[in-house]
Structure formats: C-alpha cells, structure tokens
Amino acid sequence: MSLFNYVVIFILISLWINGIYSENPCAARQIKGQSIVCVCNSTYCDEIVRSIPREGTYIAYTSSEAGARFRKTTGLLGPNEDSLLSHNESVRITTLTVNTGKVFQRIEGFGGAVTDAAAINWKNLTDPRLRQNLIKSYFGTSGIEYNMVRVPIGGCDFSTHPYAYNDVPEYDANLTHFNLTSEDYEYKIPMLKAIKQESRAPIYVLGTTWSPPGWMKTNHALVGPSHLLPQYYQTYADYHLKFVQKYTEAGIPIWGITTTNEPVNGDFLIVKFNSLGWTAKNMGKWIAEYLGPTIQNSTFRGLKILAVDDQRITIPYFYSLMIKEHPQALQYIDGIAVHFYYDMLSPPELFSLIAKHYPDKFIISSEACVGNYPWDIQKVILGSWQRAYTYIHDIFQDLNYNLVSWLDWNLCLNKEGGPNWAGNMVDSPIIVDTENGEFLKQPMFYAMGHFSKFVPRGSRRVEVMESKPFYYRSLLHVAFLTPNNTVTTIVYNKDCFNRTVKVKVGNYQEVLLSLEAKSITTIEIPV
Ligand SMILES: *[C@@H]1O[C@H](CO)[C@@H](O)[C@H](O)[C@H]1NC(C)=O
Ligand SMILES: *[C@@H]1O[C@H](CO)[C@@H](O)[C@H](O)[C@H]1NC(C)=O
Ligand SMILES: *[C@@H]1O[C@H](CO)[C@@H](O)[C@H](O)[C@H]1NC(C)=O
Ligand SMILES: *[C@@H]1O[C@H](CO)[C@@H](O)[C@H](O)[C@H]1NC(C)=O
Ligand SMILES: *[C@@H]1O[C@H](CO)[C@@H](O)[C@H](O)[C@H]1NC(C)=O
Ligand SMILES: *[C@@H]1O[C@H](CO)[C@@H](O)[C@H](O)[C@H]1NC(C)=O
Ligand SMILES: *[C@@H]1O[C@H](CO)[C@@H](O)[C@H](O)[C@H]1NC(C)=O
Ligand SMILES: *[C@@H]1O[C@H](CO)[C@@H](O)[C@H](O)[C@H]1NC(C)=O
C-alpha cells in the first residue's frame, strides 16, 4: 500500500472512532502558573471510553503538562519505515520492545479511599447528578474504572472528630456494644453502594484500623504513642471480625484487611492523629495466635490479611522481624501493604527481599497522597502537573517491582484539603467546590487513569526492553497483557522536548508516536 492509502485509512478509522464514541472532552480551566483542571458540574463532566482496537490498529491516549487529557489518537500498526522520518528524527528514536513471552505479576486493581472526609465531601454536593458524575468519573466505564477501595475501620484523621467503634462502654472485652456509627450509615456505606452500582468489575474493599478504642490501649487514648494491652489481643481480633460482619450485612462485602495503619509510626513518633503502635514481635504474636485463627475460624476465612501497611522503608525491619519471631504468622498472611511516603529514602529493591524470601506473598501500595509533608505550605495546589508526576513516577516503579495494586488516599477533599480533625490537610485528585456546585479533576486524576482504566484486573505485566540513543535518558515505561487480548504499554516522557518512540510487540505490530514534553501516553495494541 502506498503512504496515501495509509493516510486515507487512518482518516476513516479516526472518523469511525470519533463517530461511535462521542465523549465529552475536558472542560478545562487554566490555573495560573500550573497546568489545567477539568471542571465537572451537574450537567457536564468529561468522559473517556476504552474501546478495544481492531486488528491491525492501535489506540493511544495522552495527557500532558501542556493540557492534553486522554487525547485519543489511532492509527495502523506498522512495520514503520524509518525512512518516513527525517534523518534527525530516526537517529533519536527510542524503541520499546514488548516481550509477551516473559510474564510477571497479575494485577488486582487500582483505587482510592472512602474516608469519612471523602464521603462527607461527596454527600455535600447537593445535586444528585453532581454526586453521580463524581462516582462515574472514578468507577464508571466512561470514567477511569477504579476497582478497589480502602475504608478506615472507624475513624482516622480524615474524620470530623476522633472516634473508634465501641468507645463506650469501656472494658467491654466481648464487644457487646459494637456498632457502626453515623459516619458509616450516612456517608461511607451510601458512597460505597453508589460505587458498587456504577462499577462493572467487582469492587475489592480493604479495611484498615487506625486506632481501636482507648480502653484497649496502654495510653487510654486514640492518639499518641501506645500499644495494645495484652488482655485485649483477642478483643482486637474480634473487633476486625465484627467490622467485616457489619459491613457485609450492610451490603458491602470486604475483600481484605490490613493489620493496623502505620504501626511503626504509632510506636516511635509523636503522631497527632489516631494510631496504634506495634513492635514487630508483638504484631507477629497477635497475627499468629489471635487475628489469624479468629478469621480462619469464621465464615470469612477467604478474607485477605495484609501485614505492614506502613512505609516501604519499614519492610526489612518490620516484616522480617515479625516473621523471625513468629513464623506461624506467615500462614495467615496473604501479602503486605506499603505506603508511598518517603519513598525517596528507600530503594524499591526492598520489594525484591519479599519476592525472594516470601515468593507466595503479594505486595500492594495501599496509600499515597501529596501535600502531606511539613514543608508543603500549600496543601491543595490546583492544576499541579508536578504532583501528578509524583504519582506517575511511583506507580511505574512499584509496577516494575511486581506490586499488584496501587491505591490513592482520599477520593475527594474540599478546597482546604479536608475535613481533617487533626489539621493534617493534604491534596486529592478531585477537589469539591460545594458553593459553586462543581468539582475539579486534578492532573493526578488523569495520572491514575492512565493505569487504572487500561490495566484491568487480571492483566499480567510483561517484559519491556528499551533501546535509546546514549545521550537521552530512559523513558518511564511498563507493559501488560490484558484479559482483552491486548498489550497496554504506558510511557512517560520526562523531558521538556518531544521524543519519538517506537513500541514494538511483534514484527507486524509496531506503533510510531511522538511523545510530547512531560506527557504520559497509554497505547493499546491487539495481540
Ligand atoms: C456546566 O459546564 C458546562 C461545560 O463547561 C457549561 O457549558 C455549563 O454552563 C455549566 N453549567 C452550569 C450550571 O454552570
Ligand atoms: C538536523 O540536525 C542538525 C544538527 O543537529 C541540524 O543542523 C539540522 O538543522 C537538523 N535538521 C532538521 C530538519 O531538524
Ligand atoms: C465475655 O464472655 C464470656 C463468655 O460468654 C464471659 O465469661 C465473660 O465474663 C465476658 N467478659 C466480659 C468482660 O463481659
Ligand atoms: C447502631 O447505630 C445505628 C446508627 O447510629 C442506630 O440506628 C442503631 O440503633 C444502633 N444499633 C445498636 C444495636 O445500638
Ligand atoms: C471456632 O468457632 C467455634 C464456634 O464459633 C468455637 O466454638 C471454637 O471455640 C472456635 N475455635 C477457635 C480455635 O477459636
Ligand atoms: C459543605 O458545603 C458547605 C457549602 O455549601 C460548606 O460551607 C461546608 O464547609 C462544607 N462541608 C465540608 C465538610 O466541607
Ligand atoms: C475486557 O475483558 C473483560 C473480561 O473478559 C470484560 O469484562 C470487559 O468488558 C472487556 N473490556 C472491554 C473494553 O471490552
Ligand atoms: C511537540 O508535540 C506537540 C504535540 O504533538 C506538538 O503540538 C508540538 O508542535 C511539538 N513540538 C515540536 C517542537 O515539535
């Protein structure tokens, strides 16, 4: 075929795709000194449909600092003659060769957290159509198709006040007064129900306790350095089981629990919000002798138990020591969860320790947000591409080290980055503006979507080999074989100039693309 024929077919396919899938584009609002945000109101919200590319074609989606948001392009698969490029371009090309013969981890999903704060902000949107647009944006087939959610068991700092379940009566070791709270019944459960209804894939819900009631703890308070009193080890196990029972009864089955949020933090630092400290040794004992047997002996024995739930840097100290002291704990643990804060201080090679010593355990990233550090004076920065890049960089790294899920923190926050009873405001991919009847989709939202939407549950990571001119730095890249018989390749260009990339899956499955400066592109190719 001549080049002319290619061009005609390309145009026809573009028209076909645009005709069948007319999607609302981003209603962009330029933020001074930053990138854009996309504005959703009761009657308008941007959409993105994932259509499976037909044989011999590819579909690519790009978001960039310059303002692209899931900009869709399509074309025919090559072999691409390098002679189509100018000489200068062809010497600067970076080739990514995807090897579908070498397969790594299976992906469980992507998502964010239904904290009290997220659910209160969501419900504060007075128009039900606006609330629906927010749920659709995250979980719908015209949204970024999240399929996992983390839920605090009781309160955390992203609540309007500190609390746990069964705060009163005190010393109620049999938890005879255990009940969910108005936060569950009025906010979190309604939001989770709306999510379940919108999502095509089953939603995996992960529960985490920040602090049990003060009476179970050495400091008799929700906040501050503390440990669990030994006489309440069984009670704390039952506390988790009762949460799972109550949520299941309310129509929200639980997929897994973690073994307490940031246990090292709660042990060593003066934290200013709900926490519970654990030594590795006592945590091992609690899992091996109380939590594990309690769950195993219940009707919820399929529940996943994820240990650590703390920063990556604590893995060698915490996990290894816990298992060393109480190796029986291993039989109850399905995997470990890590948080993304201070990842710059801890090499991702720490994940390889787990893979090497505990090959049957999986790893998920269970919490991430930006604007959290003490030096972040401005908690919410609208339109920040730098913050989207912080997510993107970490997700690429984690996926390339075999993590199976990546969960963001609060699904939505208000303009101050709250509510948070402890004053620990942070940023979020969606900021709600109740007064103006709208919510704003930040660059971070699209950063998440480039992975969550195109790497459905059951996808398997495959090997990618990069060949580039020596004077260029590496592109960030990762590729998956999806259950839809496609290869999804995601690539980020960090440079402040356009780069030409060739993605090659087989001899007759090549895509040649220009990657604009500071942009993320997801390319889907049928196999
Ligand atoms: C909602 O957003 C759309 C698209 O930006 C705009 O045309 C419309 O006027 C907005 N509606 C209201 C009530 O602000
Ligand atoms: C190709 O590169 C050379 C040297 O870097 C430069 O002088 C020339 O203008 C470039 N040509 C094009 C078409 O960009
Ligand atoms: C908990 O229940 C057990 C068995 O029913 C009972 O013996 C025990 O006294 C109860 N403990 C408390 C603190 O109520
Ligand atoms: C549990 O809490 C809900 C909501 O606050 C309340 O309606 C219900 O009566 C409580 N149940 C018990 C057994 O206390
Ligand atoms: C398992 O549960 C049964 C019934 O709930 C109880 O009688 C038994 O003591 C439990 N066993 C263990 C090891 O907890
Ligand atoms: C809910 O929205 C109102 C404005 O409509 C605002 O004053 C209030 O602070 C919001 N609540 C929260 C928790 O952000
Ligand atoms: C991809 O495959 C899954 C599982 O077979 C299916 O449920 C889903 O609808 C497919 N997605 C698309 C966009 O066709
Ligand atoms: C870089 O790519 C963008 C988007 O494709 C394009 O608009 C722009 O002109 C390109 N810049 C250069 C210098 O080629």
Side-chain angles (χ1 to χ4, degrees), residues 427-447:
D427 211 336
S428 170
I430 289 187
I431 298 297
V432 303
D433 182 345
T434 311
E435 286 90 344
N436 292 310
E438 61 188 27
F439 63 83
L440 310 175
K441 286 152 89 169
Q442 296 258 52
M444 286 180 278
F445 174 89
Y446 299 88

Side-chain angles (χ1 to χ4, degrees), residues 49-52 141 145 200-201 453 456-457 482-485 524:
V49 171
R50 171 180 174 231
S51 26
I52 303 299
T141 49
E145 301 187 60
R200 176 166 58 181
K453 187 171 182 71
R457 179 173 299 144
T482 75
N484 307 91
N485 298 319
E524 204 164 0

Side-chain angles (χ1 to χ4, degrees), residues 60-215:
Y61 311 80
T62 298
S63 300
S64 67
E65 181 173 57
R69 294 294 179 267
F70 291 135
R71 186 182 58 219
K72 208 173 202 173
T73 51
T74 183
L76 294 175
L77 295 172
N80 291 290
E81 298 295 336
D82 288 359
S83 59
L84 288 177
L85 302 170
S86 74
H87 173 71
N88 284 12
E89 271 180 287
S90 69
V91 299
R92 289 180 185 160
I93 198 166
T94 299
T95 302
L96 299 178
T97 306
V98 178
N99 174 13
T100 53
K102 183 131 191 212
V103 177
F104 302 94
Q105 81 272 26
R106 177 188 190 273
I107 295 298
E108 296 299 338
F110 296 85
V114 174
T115 56
D116 290 354
I120 289 168
N121 286 321
W122 171 70
K123 208 164 171 196
N124 208 14
L125 297 169
T126 40
D127 191 327
R129 291 173 303 171
L130 189 54
R131 291 202 292 273
Q132 192 55 28
N133 280 343
L134 194 152
I135 299 291
K136 268 185 153 156
S137 290
Y138 272 129
F139 298 92
T141 49
S142 62
I144 60 173
E145 301 187 60
Y146 275 5
N147 52 17
M148 286 182 76
V149 168
R150 185 161 173 247
V151 172
I153 299 176
C156 69
D157 53 326
F158 280 96
S159 302
T160 53
H161 63 109
Y163 70 93
Y165 299 130
N166 214 134
D167 278 322
V168 287
E170 294 198 307
Y171 315 113
D172 179 18
N174 291 343
L175 299 173
T176 48
H177 291 77
F178 187 99
N179 194 3
L180 300 180
T181 64
S182 58
E183 280 84 355
D184 296 297
Y185 290 119
E186 285 171 36
Y187 298 102
K188 290 194 282 192
I189 290 172
M191 189 175 188
L192 285 161
K193 286 198 164 156
I195 287 170
K196 268 188 68 179
Q197 197 150 25
E198 187 61 42
S199 172
R200 176 166 58 181
I203 297 288
Y204 285 0
V205 180
L206 179 67
T208 295
T209 303
W210 265 248
S211 172
W215 53 264

Side-chain angles (χ1 to χ4, degrees), residues 97-373:
T97 306
V98 178
N99 174 13
T100 53
K102 183 131 191 212
V103 177
F104 302 94
Q105 81 272 26
R106 177 188 190 273
I107 295 298
E108 296 299 338
F110 296 85
V114 174
T115 56
D116 290 354
I120 289 168
N121 286 321
W122 171 70
K123 208 164 171 196
N124 208 14
L125 297 169
T126 40
D127 191 327
R129 291 173 303 171
L130 189 54
R131 291 202 292 273
Q132 192 55 28
N133 280 343
L134 194 152
I135 299 291
K136 268 185 153 156
S137 290
Y138 272 129
F139 298 92
T141 49
S142 62
I144 60 173
E145 301 187 60
Y146 275 5
N147 52 17
M148 286 182 76
V149 168
R150 185 161 173 247
V151 172
I153 299 176
C156 69
D157 53 326
F158 280 96
S159 302
T160 53
H161 63 109
Y163 70 93
Y165 299 130
N166 214 134
D167 278 322
V168 287
E170 294 198 307
Y171 315 113
D172 179 18
N174 291 343
L175 299 173
T176 48
H177 291 77
F178 187 99
N179 194 3
L180 300 180
T181 64
S182 58
E183 280 84 355
D184 296 297
Y185 290 119
E186 285 171 36
Y187 298 102
K188 290 194 282 192
I189 290 172
M191 189 175 188
L192 285 161
K193 286 198 164 156
I195 287 170
K196 268 188 68 179
Q197 197 150 25
E198 187 61 42
S199 172
R200 176 166 58 181
I203 297 288
Y204 285 0
V205 180
L206 179 67
T208 295
T209 303
W210 265 248
S211 172
W215 53 264
M216 287 191 208
K217 302 166 67 182
T218 49
N219 68 344
H220 205 279
L222 294 170
V223 184
S226 60
H227 287 150
L228 195 65
L229 290 167
Q231 65 267 37
Y232 295 125
Y233 273 36
Q234 184 56 49
T235 306
Y236 190 49
D238 294 339
Y239 186 83
H240 286 84
L241 184 59
K242 282 192 185 281
F243 164 80
V244 173
Q245 277 163 345
K246 290 279 187 194
Y247 259 60
T248 305
E249 279 163 26
I252 310 295
I254 304 296
W255 170 77
I257 54 172
T258 71
T259 53
T260 303
N261 181 68
E262 298 184 356
V264 178
N265 203 13
D267 200 19
F268 289 116
L269 299 175
I270 311 289
V271 284
K272 50 181 185 166
F273 53 82
N274 327 35
S275 68
L276 174 66
W278 280 104
T279 61
K281 182 177 171 188
N282 286 344
M283 173 66 87
K285 180 180 170 71
W286 179 63
I287 294 170
E289 295 172 17
Y290 299 91
L291 181 69
T294 300
I295 300 297
Q296 274 306 311
N297 192 33
S298 75
T299 52
F300 299 100
R301 68 178 64 83
L303 189 73
K304 306 280 182 231
I305 299 181
L306 304 187
V308 184
D309 208 17
D310 209 324
Q311 314 314 330
R312 184 193 285 175
I313 202 166
T314 69
I315 294 174
Y317 158 72
F318 202 77
Y319 192 73
S320 303
L321 192 58
M322 180 173 96
I323 297 308
K324 187 162 157 263
E325 298 280 353
H326 290 278
Q328 323 86 288
L330 262 185
Q331 75 184 91
Y332 299 110
I333 295 168
D334 296 282
I336 70 166
V338 291
H339 293 187
F340 110 136
Y341 314 105
Y342 301 97
D343 271 1
M344 57 282 198
L345 303 180
S346 47
E349 284 75 21
L350 292 177
F351 294 136
S352 310
L353 287 178
I354 297 289
K356 184 165 167 229
H357 297 293
Y358 314 101
D360 61 329
K361 308 301 178 201
F362 63 81
I363 312 177
I364 78 166
S365 183
S366 55
E367 190 186 309
C369 71
V370 287
N372 60 300
Y373 296 115

